[in-house]
Amino acid sequence: MNPVNGRSSWVFVIEDKKLQENSVNLVFPKGLSILLIKSAGQIYAVSNQCAHMGCGLAGGSLKGHTLQCPCHDWRYDIRTGEFLDAKEIRIPMYQWWLENGRIFINIEEGDRS
């Protein structure tokens, strides 16, 4: 089932062919700062805001499935949004959908737990 049809919460952000493996792509669907990351052929959509002091994660380093904040070195698992040193802390994750080579993000359903 295509979740995008007729739902304003799903926003087109980028063409799939523009995502490179092991790259961090900053997108702003309706002004929301989200990172699209392609790692091991899988796409992940996470908040661009570190849970520690709100630093932008876009300038951080990516190694495998670990994204490290450029401000204070907090490390997150991009598959779950979990802070690696305290798994009860996490950054929001967002659902994404690929249709006809275009990636959409559901901006209403970020996992804020």
Side-chain angles (χ1 to χ4, degrees), residues 86-99:
K87 296 192 186 285
E88 67 275 10
I89 299 171
R90 58 178 55 208
I91 56 174
M93 304 283 298
Y94 294 88
Q95 292 181 326
W96 61 271
W97 181 264
L98 177 63
E99 181 176 300

Side-chain angles (χ1 to χ4, degrees), residues 24 30 32 39 47 49 53 67 69 75 81 97 102 111:
V24 176
K30 296 194 178 183
L32 192 59
S39 179
S47 172
Q49 188 172 15
M53 294 187 70
L67 179 63
C69 179
R75 296 173 301 119
W97 181 264
R102 297 166 36 109
D111 175 9

Side-chain angles (χ1 to χ4, degrees), residues 26-34 47 94 105-108 112:
L26 183 58
V27 295
F28 296 95
K30 296 194 178 183
L32 192 59
S33 186
I34 296 176
S47 172
Y94 294 88
I105 292 179
N106 187 347
I107 61 170
E108 287 186 1
R112 304 205 184 271

Side-chain angles (χ1 to χ4, degrees), residues 5-58:
N5 287 340
R7 295 192 178 154
S8 62
S9 64
W10 287 90
V11 180
F12 167 71
V13 291
I14 195 170
E15 293 179 7
D16 178 50
K17 65 183 177 185
K18 292 185 178 179
L19 287 181
Q20 300 299 313
E21 186 70 26
N22 298 316
S23 66
V24 176
N25 300 269
L26 183 58
V27 295
F28 296 95
K30 296 194 178 183
L32 192 59
S33 186
I34 296 176
L35 298 178
L36 274 179
I37 301 168
K38 189 179 226 182
S39 179
Q42 178 65 27
I43 298 171
Y44 303 92
V46 300
S47 172
N48 182 39
Q49 188 172 15
C50 180
H52 177 223
M53 294 187 70
C55 187
L57 295 170

